Amino acid sequence: AQSVTQLDSHVSVSEGTPVLLRCNYSSSYSPSLFWYVQHPNKGLQLLLKYTSAATLVKGINGFEAEFKKSETSFHLTKPSAHMSDAAEYFCVVSNPNSGYALNFGKGTSLLVTP
Amino acid sequence: DAGVTQSPTHLIKTRGQQVTLRCSPKSGHDTVSWYQQALGQGPQFIFQYYEEEERQRGNFPDRFSGHQFPNYSSELNVNALLLGDSALYLCASSLRTGGTDTQYFGPGTRLTVL
């Protein structure tokens, strides 16, 4: 079985400051990990994915995440927040050895203040 | 290149009724997955269809059923609606590669059960 825990339900940053959204995972096998973003009343957009290649993954809109097996973490970062980054962010784990379902965390709501 | 489309956008039903939601996958994709997202929660996997068969199912009752057509589009049917079925229903499509499939989401159908 696999699961993710998003350590913060809400994160607030000022525009232009760094963003850190934390995620820990649990998986019996080598996992595939994703970050998705959901803007209000919108569907989910893929930010980035890790599939056992490079441990530092670059995504869209300046986001990146680092896979750390020793810490079972996959934290999402961005050097400088923009007002348009305000949204709900989901850390997701899947594993082809146990099926193809995506297992979502509960989400982190990012607030960006001027 | 059209992305994943879903219809209808919004739907209001009463308890005990039945509902059908529709999804057209992204061009070139052959796999459709359905998720339920309750308010303030992460999406929960309902089931996945590939080659017109249900390939994997999440922890949802038999009231939830689906279908995939030869053109890869899909329907989600929910019978005997309960108040707790009120949620955003998300469809995701992917291309089955034998490895980790990246799922792309549609905008969702908002179902309200009164």
Side-chain angles (χ1 to χ4, degrees), chain B:
Chain B
D1 179 24
V4 180
T5 60
Q6 293 185 243
S7 64
T9 306
H10 296 87
L11 206 51
I12 299 175
K13 292 286 187 178
T14 56
R15 281 177 296 174
Q17 285 189 312
Q18 178 265 343
V19 69
T20 298
L21 310 181
R22 295 177 176 82
C23 172
S24 292
K26 184 178 169 67
S27 178
H29 285 184
D30 57 7
T31 302
V32 173
S33 303
W34 288 91
Y35 294 80
Q36 180 195 66
Q37 185 177 20
L39 199 62
Q41 301 295 317
Q44 298 290 316
F45 176 74
I46 302 175
F47 42 53
Q48 184 182 87
Y49 276 84
Y50 172 66
E51 292 186 338
E52 301 181 49
E53 290 187 3
E54 183 183 291
R55 287 296 174 134
Q56 188 181 357
R57 188 178 184 90
N59 189 26
F60 278 81
D62 292 344
R63 298 188 296 109
F64 290 77
S65 63
H67 189 77
Q68 186 179 34
F69 298 94
N71 66 353
Y72 307 120
S73 67
S74 177
E75 289 181 349
L76 164 65
N77 300 290
V78 186
N79 294 322
L81 284 167
L82 304 174
L83 295 179
D85 294 332
S86 295
L88 180 67
Y89 288 84
L90 295 162
C91 168
S93 75
S94 56
L95 177 63
R96 181 60 60 88
T97 61
T100 299
D101 305 331
T102 299
Q103 297 185 20
Y104 295 88
F105 285 81
T109 294
R110 173 75 61 186
L111 173 65
T112 301
V113 182
L114 302 177

Side-chain angles (χ1 to χ4, degrees), chain A residues 1-7 21-35 50 52 55 65-75 91-95 103-105:
Chain A
Q2 55 266 338
S3 64
V4 292
T5 301
Q6 293 185 242
L7 300 173
L21 304 183
R22 300 182 295 164
C23 173
N24 287 348
Y25 70 90
S26 171
S27 178
S28 303
Y29 306 96
S30 296
S32 295
L33 292 158
F34 307 79
W35 277 97
Y50 165 78
S52 75
T55 57
E66 186 172 7
F67 175 74
K68 292 187 176 180
K69 186 175 181 179
S70 61
E71 299 176 10
T72 61
S73 69
F74 190 58
H75 301 335
C91 182
V92 182
V93 65
S94 75
N95 192 299
N103 295 284
F104 284 76

